[in-house]
Amino acid sequence: MHEVMIIFNIIKKTAFKRAIVFFVIATIVTVLGTAITYSVNPDIEGIMESLGDSSSDQLRESTGIKKVWAYVMNNGFMVPLQMFVLALIPIQFLYLINVVSTALIPGILFGVVLQMDFIKGLGVIASTIPHYCVEVLAFCLFAAALFELNRVIRKKVRSVFKKGKDQVPLVKEILGTIKIYGVLILPMIMAAAFLETYIADIIFNLF
């Protein structure tokens, strides 16, 4: 329990504001993706096919608890792992690629469904908002934690070209990032999986 409080204090002090900035940027990307896709009259079939190819076959074909598990495997393990690996490269903000792509794909989808049927499109957007917010915020919080890790790595690289030894605790930073992932990020992704699987259809049916 004490470690959990320490982790939340770390997030509160150093990462939460940055995560909110990332979330605002992701939301802007989604809105722009929706507006541009809706206004340019794209090849709808081609876009739907490409979006289908970009998602996991297992995720698209699964239902119920199997869909939840497929969602968690993809968004809870694969995507954070990709972000973590990108954060190990001493180039700032590479790990945001996954956040941007996660935000852009729904935006394109929203634009397409609005063109096909505006009312149903509004229903799709409304049903997507709960799990979208939880999922994207989780990735933004993880990106904020990875910001700190990446900064330490960049300091380590710079220290190679300077005199003296750099005392930045890289291993401690990696372990702290993993703890944040396990305590906060993964549970949020699991919550998003249940929201998409069981709540999205309920909201959509209201339309």
Side-chain angles (χ1 to χ4, degrees):
M1 183 65 180
H2 180 64
E3 284 193 358
V4 173
M5 292 304 299
I6 291 175
I7 290 172
F8 277 96
N9 286 334
I10 291 172
I11 294 173
K12 181 178 179 181
K13 292 178 180 179
T14 65
F16 186 72
K17 289 183 179 180
R18 188 172 293 114
I20 294 301
V21 172
F22 291 159
F23 183 78
V24 170
I25 293 172
T27 303
I28 291 172
V29 168
T30 302
V31 172
L32 288 176
T34 302
I36 293 172
T37 304
Y38 181 75
S39 61
V40 299
N41 193 24
D43 176 9
I44 293 178
E45 290 185 3
I47 289 179
M48 294 303 291
E49 183 177 347
S50 63
L51 289 176
D53 291 341
S54 66
S55 61
S56 167
D57 289 338
Q58 183 182 3
L59 182 58
R60 284 186 284 115
E61 295 173 1
S62 300
T63 57
I65 197 66
K66 290 184 178 179
K67 183 177 181 180
V68 172
W69 176 245
Y71 185 104
V72 171
M73 286 298 295
N74 184 67
N75 293 351
F77 294 104
M78 296 303 297
V79 174
L81 179 60
Q82 292 169 6
M83 293 174 67
F84 181 80
V85 171
L86 289 174
L88 298 178
I89 301 172
I91 299 175
Q92 199 169 14
F93 299 128
L94 277 181
Y95 43 87
L96 286 179
I97 292 174
N98 295 88
V99 177
V100 172
S101 63
T102 299
L104 180 59
I105 290 174
I108 295 173
L109 177 61
F110 294 161
V112 169
V113 295
L114 285 173
Q115 275 203 347
M116 295 173 64
D117 188 318
F118 192 81
I119 300 300
K120 287 186 178 180
L122 291 178
V124 169
I125 293 173
S127 66
T128 302
I129 286 175
H131 76 260
Y132 169 92
C133 289
V134 175
E135 176 188 337
V136 175
L137 182 58
F139 288 152
C140 289
L141 284 167
F142 193 50
L146 292 175
F147 178 92
E148 302 297 333
L149 173 61
N150 183 258
R151 180 162 57 183
V152 170
I153 291 172
R154 286 183 284 113
K155 285 182 178 179
K156 286 287 186 182
V157 172
R158 286 196 297 269
S159 70
V160 173
F161 303 97
K162 297 179 181 179
K163 294 181 180 180
K165 294 184 178 180
D166 179 64
Q167 299 299 321
V168 179
L170 179 58
V171 174
K172 182 179 179 180
E173 192 68 40
I174 291 175
L175 291 176
T177 302
I178 293 173
K179 286 180 180 179
I180 290 172
Y181 164 78
V183 171
L184 183 63
I185 308 305
L186 183 58
M188 289 181 69
I189 295 298
M190 293 174 69
F194 278 96
L195 286 171
E196 182 182 31
T197 303
Y198 297 108
I199 304 301
D201 287 343
I202 295 174
I203 297 175
F204 180 75
N205 289 333
L206 296 176
F207 286 78

